[in-house]
């Protein structure tokens, strides 16, 4: 149980285009999902917290208009990188909290999406 | 930055040896968690230790927590080549917020 999927697993796009990444909780409901960014050989940095049915909460320094987050259902959150530039190239990872599980403090992570912007 | 720090940054050992990784953090926490990440993959939750606990075991993993020093350690005993990965500590602050703050990570290489 507690599986989180991401799609696509990798994407290459041209500079200036927009890319949408999906994060799904497959066997549980997640009222809260998190989006992280990880540069090579570095740690995960939280970008935003996504709450179902409400606006996302962005971390300081993360551009809301560039990284659009939608959490329309209890099993799906999407991150759209708008007008992507080469510096947006990174590994994007989502996670979800299963509030019904005993370990409610545990976040389950997706496999990540590698974005390369040419 | 509130990000925690881990040391060593990289650790190379032989199979069968023990591996110890340390994590320091900056704020008052509710719990501390350790995660494992294989290269280019997502994170796998290993163990969670709450702020009122001092030590926890799970299989070959042993985690300690010293809240007075704001530090934790992860010990992997009898390491295997399959343990090769990056290991991250993550803290949940003692506030109403649910976010995790990750440490800088330790890259572990276990040679056969």
């Amino acid at each position: 149980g507690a599986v989180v999927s991401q799609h696509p697993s990798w994407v290459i796009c041209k500079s200036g285009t927009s890319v949408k990444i999906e994060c799904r909780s497959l066997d549980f409901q997640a009222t809260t999902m998190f989006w992280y960014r990880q540069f090579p050989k570095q740690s995960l940095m939280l970008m935003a917290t996504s709450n179902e049915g409400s606006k996302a909460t962005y971390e300081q320094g993360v551009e809301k208009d560039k990284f659009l987050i939608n959490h329309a259902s209890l099993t799906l959150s999407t991150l759209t990188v708008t007008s992507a530039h080469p510096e947006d190239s990174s590994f994007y990872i989502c996670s979800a909290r299963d509030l019904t599980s005993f370990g409610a403090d545990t976040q389950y992570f997706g496999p990540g999406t590698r974005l390369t912007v040419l | 930055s509130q990000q925690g720090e881990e040391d060593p940054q990289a650790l190379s050992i032989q199979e069968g040896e023990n591996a110890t990784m340390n994590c320091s953090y900056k704020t008052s926490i509710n719990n501390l968690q350790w995660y494992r990440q294989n290269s280019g993959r997502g994170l796998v939750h290993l163990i969670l230790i709450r702020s009122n606990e001092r030590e926890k075991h799970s299989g070959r993993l042993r985690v300690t927590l010293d809240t007075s020093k704001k530090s934790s350690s992860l010990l992997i005993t009898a390491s295997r080549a399959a343990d090769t990965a990056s290991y991250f500590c993550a803290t949940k602050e003692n506030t109403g917020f649910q976010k995790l703050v990750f440490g800088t990570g330790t890259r572990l290489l276990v040679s056969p």
Side-chain angles (χ1 to χ4, degrees):
Chain A
V3 176
V4 175
S5 70
Q6 278 184 243
H7 178 80
S9 55
W10 59 270
V11 57
I12 301 173
C13 69
K14 292 182 179 180
S15 186
T17 61
S18 294
V19 175
K20 181 186 284 188
I21 302 171
E22 293 185 348
C23 176
R24 292 181 185 273
S25 57
L26 298 185
D27 48 4
F28 65 98
Q29 293 183 329
T31 56
T32 304
M33 289 183 172
F34 303 87
W35 287 97
Y36 296 84
R37 182 166 53 183
Q38 184 181 32
F39 292 106
K41 295 187 178 181
Q42 293 189 25
S43 187
L44 280 73
M45 298 300 293
L46 180 66
M47 299 175 65
T49 301
S50 167
N51 294 295
E52 186 266 339
S54 64
K55 291 183 179 180
T57 302
Y58 290 82
E59 294 300 301
Q60 193 172 12
V62 178
E63 299 176 57
K64 301 178 183 181
D65 295 332
K66 182 166 187 62
F67 298 100
L68 301 179
I69 291 174
N70 183 284
H71 193 158
S73 78
L74 288 172
T75 59
L76 173 65
S77 176
T78 60
L79 167 68
T80 301
V81 184
T82 62
S83 187
H85 291 281
E87 57 265 30
D88 298 324
S89 297
S90 187
F91 194 53
Y92 292 86
I93 305 176
C94 72
S95 70
R97 292 176 67 229
D98 179 2
L99 293 179
T100 63
S101 73
F102 176 76
D105 281 335
T106 301
Q107 291 186 21
Y108 298 97
F109 284 79
T113 296
R114 183 161 304 283
L115 170 63
T116 302
V117 185
L118 302 176
Chain B
S1 168
Q2 294 300 309
Q3 189 175 40
E5 292 187 5
E6 292 181 55
D7 79 273
Q9 290 186 344
L11 179 61
S12 185
I13 60 175
Q14 298 290 122
E15 265 192 328
E17 295 180 340
N18 296 341
T20 300
M21 294 159 249
N22 303 294
C23 165
S24 60
Y25 56 91
K26 299 179 181 179
T27 64
S28 176
I29 64 170
N30 178 282
N31 65 63
L32 185 144
Q33 303 174 39
W34 284 90
Y35 288 85
R36 164 198 169 118
Q37 183 182 36
N38 286 77
S39 181
R41 309 290 291 274
L43 272 71
V44 175
H45 182 262
L46 295 177
I47 196 166
L48 180 153
I49 186 166
R50 302 194 183 279
S51 59
N52 60 353
E53 297 176 307
R54 291 295 167 260
E55 188 171 313
K56 205 161 182 179
H57 296 253
S58 177
R60 293 185 294 114
L61 306 180
R62 173 178 168 254
V63 168
T64 62
L65 178 64
D66 186 336
T67 53
S68 66
K69 296 181 179 178
K70 290 187 167 58
S71 68
S72 173
S73 68
L74 170 67
L75 167 68
I76 303 175
T77 60
S79 64
R80 305 165 183 168
D83 294 329
T84 295
S86 291
Y87 292 82
F88 296 92
C89 67
T91 53
K92 178 176 177 293
E93 296 180 350
N94 203 15
T95 66
F97 298 105
Q98 301 303 314
K99 66 180 184 181
L100 292 176
V101 178
F102 281 83
T104 50
T106 294
R107 294 192 306 279
L108 174 66
L109 173 63
V110 182
S111 301

